[in-house]
Amino acid sequence: MKRLLCAFGLFILFSNTSAFAQGDPYFLANPALSPDDQTVVFSFDGDLWKVASTGGSASRITAMPGDEINPRISPDGKWIAFSSNQFGNYDVYIMALSGGEVKQLTFNDAADELDSWSWDSKFLYFTSGRYNSYSSYKVSVTGGTAVRLFNSYFNTTHNVAEAPDGELFFNDTWESKSFANRKRYKGAYNPDIQSYNPKTKTYKQYTDYRGKDFWATIDKKGNVYFVSDEANDELNLYTFISGRKTKLTSFESPVRRPFVSASGNKIVFEKDYQLYIYDVASKKTDKISINVSRNNVLEKTQEFDVRGNISAFDLSPDGNKLAFVSRGELFVSDAEGKYIRKMERSGAFGLADERVLEVKWLSDNLTLLFNQTYKGYQNWFTLLADGKGSMKQLTKDNRNNRDIAFNKARTSAVYLSGRDEVRLLDLKSLDSKVIVKDEIWAFQNSTPSFSSNGEYVLFTAYRNFEQDIFVHHIKDNKTINLTNTGVTESSPSWSPDGKYIFFNSMRTKPNYPFGPQNARVYRMALDDYDQPYRSDKFDDLFKPKKVEKTDNTPAVKNPVDKKATKKPGVKDSLAKPAAKAVKPADMITINVQNIMDRVEQVSPSFGTQYGTAVFAKGEKTYVFYYSDHEGGSPALYRTIIEPFENNKTEKVVDGAADIIEVGDRYY
C-alpha cells in the first residue's frame, strides 16, 4: 500500500498565519540549571529554550537544522554546551549563554552525547560510540582531539559527572544507557552509582541495590543527587546523607534526568513530560509553569511531499476513500490519491496541534477513528471525514492507547493501553473495557488481533523479559498462554481459517538482552490436523459441482503488480473469490497439549525475518513478512503454502510496504 501512496507526489496545503503561545506544553526534556539556579535551559521542539526557574515565557536560544539535546551551562555561568545532529550524527557544540556564534567541538561519525562540565569550565564530558559500543570522553572548550577517560576496566561508561575534587561519577551498564525508561528492572545489568578519581586512582561503589541507581548530578559542595526506584518501583530523587542513601521524593510517576545547580539550592528534573523544580532547603517540589511562543510562516500556498512519509493508513469499507497519516497530520483522499484534503482537527484548545499516529475507518464509510496525543499520551478520537462536524474525544487516559485492530465486521476493536492492559472497544457505542491485565509493556509490543470468528483476541505479554503468545476468549473471559517457552514469540497472526497462528521467533535463543537476531517465521497448529489426502482430492474430481454466481473478477498473481487487473478506482488490489461468511457458530479448537511440537518453519533458514501478515485465496495461504535473506536492505517477501506443493518464497517489493484486507479484497 505504501507503494500506492508513494505515487501521490506533491499536494497543496495552506499554512497557518499567526504566532501562537502554548501554555504548560508537554515533552520538555533535558533540563539544566544555571549556577545561580535562576535560569532553566531545556530541549523542546528540536531546539533549546531558556526560562526563569520560577516559570514564565520561554525564549528560544537555538534554531539549528537538527535536534539539540542535553544543554549544560558551565559552572562559571558564561557558556552553554549541547549536542546536535544537524549533520546526521550528534556532535558537541558550545555557545555563549547570552547568545552569539555556535562553535562545533567534535567531528566524529559516532554519536557524541554531552554529559556535563568540568568544574573549572575548561572541559566537557560526553558519551560516544566511537570506541567499542560506547564510552566516556572529554574535550576542551577550545576544541581539539577528544580524550577517552577510561582505557581499561570501565568499558561502557556514561552519565559522567565531575565532583569538585575531581572524582568522576558514572554508570556503566547498558540498562542505564539504552533502557533508562524501562521500569522495575532487577538483575545483573542494574546500574549503580560508581566513581573513579583519576588523581588518587581510587574506585568507589556507592550503591549496591539490585534495581536502578543512576543519573548522578553534583553541586559545588560535593553533594550527590541521583534517581532510584528502590522505595516504590518508581524513579525518585535520592541523595547521600552521612554516606547513607536517602530518599527525597515519593512520586508515583518517575523522575527523570535530574540536574542540580552549582549553588546546590535547587534541582530541576523531568516528570510527566513536563519540568519540575525541587527546593533543597524546603524539600518542596513545584511544577515550572512555562509558556512557549512559536511563529508560523506567513499565509501562502505550500507544497508537501509525502513520499516515504506515510506512517499509517486505512481504506474505507467501500474501497473508495483513503485516510492516512503523514508527519503527524491526518489526511483523506480518494483511493488513488488524486483529491486530498488535510483534516482540520478542531475541538478543545491545543488539540488541533497534537500528533496523529493511527487511523481507521468505521463501518459507515464516513467516520474516522484515530489516536493522537493528549497531555502527552495517545488517546482515541473520532472525526467525520467529510469535514463536517467537530472532533470528539473518546478517552482521556494518562497512558498510551495504541495498536488498534478491528474484527471483520468492524463492530469491535482491540487495542493496547499503557503497559498492562488489553482493551475492547465497541464500535457502535464507542465504549471500551479492559479484558486482560498483564505485562504488556509500553515498548516492543505486538499488535493484538481477532480470530476469524471474532471470539478470540490474540496478543503477546512478557514473561521474564520474553514475549509469549496468548489467546483470550472474550465470552468466557479466559486467557491461555500458547507458548511459555522462555524465548520470544512475537508478531502473531491468525490464519484466515483459524487453525494456525504464525509468528516470529529465534526458537532456541532469548531476545534478552541483545534483541532478536536471525528470527524466522513459524506456523503453529492449534490442534492435530490431518494433511489433505491425494485420494480425497481424486474422489473430488467426480463430485458434481455447484454453479455459483461470481463477479467475474480475475485473480491477480502479484498484489503489487501494476499490470494486474484491478477494481476501478483502486490501485494494486489482490482480488479473491467471494469468501464464505464466517458464522458465529464456527468453532476454533485450541489444543495446548504438545502444541510446540506442532510448530513448523515457514520462512527461509538464513537472514532475519520479522513481521507477519497472513491471507488466503482458495487453497493457497500467503504469508507476508520482511526479510534480508537475499542480502541488502530488508524487502517484503511472501511464502505461498499450498496442499501437495513445496512452499514457494518470492520477493514482493523492495523496501517497506503494508497490505490490508477490506471486505473480500486485499490492498
Side-chain angles (χ1 to χ4, degrees):
M1 188 63 189
K2 287 182 180 177
R3 282 175 62 94
L4 186 158
L5 295 179
C6 285
F8 284 10
L10 302 175
F11 55 87
I12 295 174
L13 299 176
F14 289 93
S15 62
N16 293 327
T17 60
S18 58
F20 68 93
Q22 185 176 356
D24 288 333
Y26 288 81
F27 302 108
L28 309 182
N30 310 125
L33 276 162
S34 59
D36 60 4
D37 57 63
Q38 296 301 302
T39 303
V40 175
V41 292
F42 59 93
S43 301
F44 175 69
D45 201 26
D47 293 314
L48 300 184
W49 303 67
K50 66 179 180 179
V51 69
S53 58
T54 54
S57 295
S59 58
R60 192 194 306 259
I61 55 178
T62 65
M64 297 166 66
D67 292 331
E68 289 83 69
I69 63 171
N70 297 2
R72 296 290 183 263
I73 300 176
S74 59
D76 61 14
K78 297 179 180 179
W79 304 96
I80 178 170
F82 56 93
S83 292
S84 176
N85 62 356
Q86 68 167 338
F87 298 120
N89 57 286
Y90 282 106
D91 287 302
V92 177
Y93 295 79
I94 189 173
M95 64 180 294
L97 182 59
S98 58
E101 180 184 359
V102 177
K103 181 180 179 181
Q104 185 174 349
L105 298 182
T106 66
F107 297 84
N108 198 273
D109 290 339
D112 297 342
E113 300 180 46
L114 184 64
D115 287 330
S116 60
W117 282 85
S118 63
W119 278 96
D120 59 9
S121 298
K122 294 181 179 180
F123 292 93
L124 290 160
Y125 296 103
F126 64 95
T127 301
S128 177
R130 61 181 68 189
Y131 178 84
N132 204 348
S133 296
Y134 50 86
S135 190
S136 298
Y137 295 79
K138 71 175 181 179
V139 66
S140 170
V141 294
T142 59
T145 302
V147 177
R148 189 169 179 230
L149 296 182
F150 309 110
N151 292 302
S152 53
Y153 181 74
F154 307 114
N155 189 34
T156 55
T157 56
H158 52 282
N159 296 341
V160 170
E162 185 187 83
D165 64 356
E167 186 178 6
L168 299 178
F169 285 73
F170 62 88
N171 298 116
D172 68 345
T173 72
W174 69 275
E175 181 70 25
S176 51
K177 174 65 170 66
S178 302
F179 290 90
N181 293 328
R182 177 158 59 184
K183 292 188 175 184
R184 302 180 181 88
Y185 172 82
K186 307 287 192 299
Y189 291 94
N190 65 288
D192 287 309
I193 302 299
Q194 305 170 78
S195 76
Y196 179 76
N197 195 320
K199 298 177 181 178
T200 62
K201 300 187 184 303
T202 55
Y203 164 78
K204 291 182 181 179
Q205 181 173 331
Y206 286 82
T207 63
D208 58 3
Y209 165 54
R210 196 165 178 264
K212 289 186 173 183
D213 298 320
F214 64 119
W215 280 330
T217 179
I218 308 167
D219 67 17
K220 65 181 180 181
K221 297 178 182 178
N223 296 312
V224 180
Y225 300 91
F226 58 99
V227 298
S228 176
D229 62 356
E230 183 171 1
N232 62 348
D233 282 335
E234 293 287 354
L235 295 175
N236 271 281
L237 192 62
Y238 283 72
T239 190
F240 297 111
I241 297 179
S242 300
R244 183 177 180 180
K245 180 180 177 181
T246 304
K247 181 168 63 70
L248 299 179
T249 63
S250 300
F251 298 116
E252 295 300 321
S253 58
V255 165
R256 303 188 190 280
R257 298 177 180 85
F259 187 93
V260 64
S261 63
S263 67
N265 295 327
K266 297 183 185 297
I267 304 169
V268 66
F269 52 82
E270 301 173 26
K271 180 180 170 301
D272 300 329
Y273 302 102
Q274 295 183 306
L275 302 185
Y276 288 75
I277 199 159
Y278 176 85
D279 186 280
V280 174
S282 67
K283 300 181 180 181
K284 292 183 179 180
T285 302
D286 293 303
K287 186 179 78 171
I288 305 175
S289 183
I290 299 174
N291 294 316
V292 294
S293 297
R294 290 177 286 180
N295 294 319
N296 292 325
V297 297
L298 295 175
E299 183 176 8
K300 64 178 180 179
T301 300
Q302 289 186 323
E303 292 182 340
F304 292 82
D305 192 346
V306 300
R307 292 185 183 94
N309 288 291
I310 303 298
S311 56
F313 67 92
D314 193 32
L315 195 66
S316 60
D318 60 14
N320 294 327
K321 298 176 287 292
L322 184 71
F324 64 94
V325 178
S326 180
R327 298 185 179 94
E329 296 288 355
L330 181 61
F331 300 90
V332 172
S333 75
D334 63 298
E336 292 188 348
K338 294 180 180 179
Y339 317 108
I340 304 175
R341 176 180 294 178
K342 176 186 171 185
M343 302 306 297
E344 296 299 330
R345 292 172 283 127
S346 59
F349 176 75
L351 290 181
D353 302 308
E354 298 292 329
R355 178 188 176 198
V356 179
L357 292 101
E358 302 173 51
V359 63
K360 292 283 187 181
W361 288 92
L362 297 188
S363 59
D364 61 3
N365 293 295
L366 176 63
T367 307
L368 298 175
L369 173 69
F370 61 96
N371 65 349
Q372 70 173 38
T373 50
Y374 170 74
K375 292 186 176 180
Y377 295 95
Q378 300 169 31
N379 277 273
W380 296 116
F381 297 78
T382 59
L383 180 66
L384 296 181
D386 61 3
K388 301 175 182 177
S390 59
M391 182 174 64
K392 296 180 181 179
Q393 186 168 359
L394 305 184
T395 61
K396 295 184 178 181
D397 299 317
N398 290 329
R399 50 171 58 221
N400 285 329
N401 295 323
R402 67 205 186 276
D403 294 321
I404 196 165
F406 286 8
N407 62 1
K408 282 194 171 183
R410 295 187 186 243
T411 59
S412 187
V414 61
Y415 66 91
L416 304 180
S417 183
R419 62 177 181 261
D420 60 354
E421 291 182 355
V422 181
R423 291 187 182 180
L424 208 62
L425 176 65
D426 188 310
L427 295 179
K428 293 182 179 179
S429 67
L430 299 178
D431 293 329
S432 64
K433 64 177 182 180
V434 177
I435 58 172
V436 174
K437 288 185 73 71
D438 208 320
E439 292 293 326
I440 306 299
W441 287 19
F443 301 98
Q444 300 173 330
N445 301 131
S446 297
T447 301
S449 61
F450 288 95
S451 59
S452 56
N453 63 4
E455 294 182 355
Y456 290 90
V457 165
L458 180 68
F459 68 98
T460 64
Y462 280 81
R463 296 291 183 271
N464 296 320
F465 302 105
E466 305 289 335
Q467 288 187 68
D468 283 341
I469 297 175
F470 294 79
V471 289
H472 177 81
H473 193 273
I474 299 172
K475 183 177 180 181
D476 295 342
N477 194 30
K478 292 183 179 179
T479 303
I480 303 172
N481 187 339
L482 296 180
T483 52
N484 197 25
T485 59
V487 299
T488 282
E489 293 88 17
S490 62
S491 303
S493 297
W494 292 94
S495 65
D497 59 10
K499 292 183 177 181
Y500 300 91
I501 288 174
F502 294 79
F503 60 90
N504 299 124
S505 179
M506 291 188 290
R507 291 301 309 277
T508 60
K509 185 178 180 180
N511 276 18
Y512 184 82
F514 300 110
Q517 300 172 351
N518 300 322
R520 309 280 183 256
V521 178
Y522 294 89
R523 181 175 78 163
M524 177 171 58
L526 294 179
D527 201 0
D528 292 310
Y529 303 121
D530 284 335
Q531 296 299 317
Y533 293 100
R534 293 182 182 273
S535 58
D536 291 339
K537 291 296 183 181
F538 181 84
D539 293 339
D540 289 344
L541 296 174
F542 299 95
K543 291 181 179 179
K545 294 184 178 180
K546 296 181 180 179
V547 179
E548 296 184 358
K549 188 176 181 180
T550 68
D551 61 358
N552 296 320
T553 303
V556 175
K557 293 182 179 179
N558 190 321
V560 294
D561 188 350
K562 295 289 184 179
K563 298 179 181 179
T565 301
K566 57 184 179 292
K567 180 178 177 181
V570 179
K571 292 186 178 180
D572 301 338
S573 62
L574 170 62
K576 68 175 183 177
K580 178 182 176 182
V582 178
K583 299 177 182 179
D586 289 348
M587 298 296 294
I588 292 177
T589 302
I590 299 178
N591 176 12
V592 296
Q593 185 173 4
N594 300 322
I595 192 169
M596 297 309 295
D597 294 336
R598 303 194 296 269
V599 173
E600 58 182 319
Q601 186 173 323
V602 172
S603 64
S605 296
F606 40 93
T608 297
Q609 290 86 50
Y610 58 95
T612 56
V614 186
F615 306 96
K617 176 173 174 270
E619 293 186 332
K620 294 183 179 181
T621 299
Y622 297 85
V623 186
F624 292 86
Y625 51 87
Y626 293 101
S627 179
D628 60 1
H629 67 275
E630 292 185 330
S633 301
L636 182 67
Y637 287 80
R638 67 180 182 184
T639 295
I640 303 172
I641 303 173
E642 184 179 9
F644 313 115
E645 299 287 346
N646 293 328
N647 291 355
K648 179 182 178 182
T649 297
E650 59 189 21
K651 181 188 288 187
V652 178
V653 64
D654 288 316
D658 289 339
I659 301 173
I660 60 173
E661 183 177 9
V662 180
D664 294 333
R665 301 178 71 88
Y666 303 129
Y667 302 93

